[in-house]
Amino acid sequence: MRALFTLLCLVSGLMAGSAMAQEVNLPPELQIEPESEFLTAWGPRVESEVFEYTTGGETYQGYLARNVNDETPRPAVLVVHEWWGLDDYARARADQLAALGFVALAVDMYGGGQVATHPDQAGEFSSQVMQDWPAARARFEAAMTQLRQHPAVADTGMAAIGYCFGGSVVMNMALSGMPLEAVISFHGDPTPAVPTPGKFSGAVQIHTGGADSLVERESLAAMTLALEAQGADVDVITYPQALHGFTNPGADAMSEEFNLPVGYNAAADASSWQSALLLLDKTLNR
């Protein structure tokens, strides 16, 4: 990521310098020709593909995003969707990570790329997953195992981030001892689903809304203590005015349509995303 930021700054600086040279009429020896090799560097070009994997006799359709202008293998981040399923929001987050130098896989926890259209259906889908933890872990592990084999993925550690239902999934993956360098939850349900916790030496970052009526403070405290007992380095960050779903720009529309206690908070979204990127950089770009 540091290399990518440096490259973008270098290119923008050179282009600004070229424009300035034309304005102030610098001597020819100090001007940069338009055809100069210094101006041929390209920023990220994110492309995506359907990423299928199987477990338990079922096929799951993930969404893989990466910067195809970068030929160097990069660290991978798994993105776990909200309770709606693998929708455009989860894909957009994967695209953002890919533009920043990661290989991002938005996983499919429901199978067949299913997406709920009503909260009742979303609740049914998510409950089925969390009530059968061995199957949930197998789905996530199958995605992670196949992702490691992708030629664009570096032979280094991986991280996972999740939203709402996905936040619950990744917290429980850490609690179960999944080999991840970092786990980041955004407004996730901290209820433990793991029958037998396992050792976890990575970092866990939990972003939660202070006004989130769907996350119980007692459950959050219990999850934090359980993760720390397994060796995790846990950081809980609370945003006082934020409701459930505070990172999703579509949360207000969902609230209005379905009368849900959710809402977008731009400040909390930006702050939590920045904190997450700093942790990913620290744990994966070493």
Side-chain angles (χ1 to χ4, degrees):
M1 185 183 297
R2 295 188 186 93
L4 175 58
F5 289 162
T6 301
L7 174 61
L8 292 176
C9 290
L10 174 61
V11 174
S12 61
L14 287 171
M15 293 178 70
S18 178
M20 184 181 297
Q22 294 175 2
E23 290 175 6
V24 299
N25 242 356
L26 289 176
E29 63 271 15
L30 296 181
Q31 295 186 22
I32 300 177
E33 295 298 325
E35 295 80 10
S36 169
E37 63 180 33
F38 293 105
L39 297 181
T40 61
W42 295 94
R45 180 162 64 93
V46 173
E47 290 190 359
S48 63
E49 61 186 84
V50 175
F51 188 86
E52 291 191 344
Y53 49 98
T54 60
T55 182
E58 292 191 37
T59 299
Y60 297 83
Q61 298 176 340
Y63 173 91
L64 182 76
R66 63 189 182 91
N67 172 21
V68 296
N69 280 344
D70 187 357
E71 297 180 356
T72 303
R74 297 297 180 187
V77 180
L78 295 100
V79 181
V80 187
H81 53 74
E82 296 179 307
W83 70 339
W84 301 106
L86 180 46
D87 56 11
D88 288 343
Y89 177 65
R91 294 187 182 94
R93 288 299 188 182
D95 288 341
Q96 285 180 291
L97 290 167
L100 291 169
F102 299 103
V103 177
L105 174 63
V107 302
D108 170 20
M109 292 298 294
Y110 293 161
Q114 295 182 94
V115 176
T117 57
H118 190 277
D120 290 345
Q121 186 183 31
E124 181 181 347
F125 284 169
S126 59
S127 295
Q128 287 176 352
V129 172
M130 299 309 291
Q131 289 173 4
D132 186 355
W133 180 251
R137 178 185 169 109
R139 295 175 189 183
F140 185 91
E141 199 164 22
M144 189 169 67
T145 299
Q146 188 159 326
L147 182 58
R148 290 188 189 280
Q149 301 172 8
H150 196 286
V153 174
D155 187 19
T156 57
M158 290 185 174
I161 71 174
Y163 297 84
C164 183
F165 158 78
S168 181
V169 169
V170 298
M171 281 188 282
N172 277 284
M173 289 300 167
L175 188 60
S176 71
M178 190 69 71
L180 295 162
E181 299 300 315
V183 160
I184 303 169
S185 167
F186 299 90
H187 42 85
D189 178 2
T191 303
V194 180
T196 307
K199 292 298 179 182
F200 184 79
S201 59
V204 178
Q205 197 176 78
I206 301 172
H207 299 276
T208 187
D212 188 340
S213 61
L214 300 180
V215 171
E216 296 182 359
R217 301 298 111 180
E218 295 80 5
S219 295
L220 181 57
M223 174 61 82
T224 301
L225 291 174
L227 286 166
E228 290 177 340
Q230 298 305 315
D233 180 11
V234 185
D235 187 15
V236 179
I237 305 172
T238 302
Y239 304 89
Q241 305 301 318
L243 297 170
H244 194 76
F246 61 81
T247 65
N248 191 336
D252 292 337
M254 295 176 196
S255 175
E256 183 176 350
E257 181 177 0
F258 299 114
N259 193 29
L260 296 173
V262 300
Y264 180 61
N265 186 305
D269 178 23
S271 180
S272 60
W273 185 244
Q274 181 66 26
S275 295
L277 293 180
L278 289 172
L279 181 60
L280 292 176
D281 187 36
K282 177 181 177 181
T283 56
L284 298 181
N285 291 323
R286 294 182 291 184

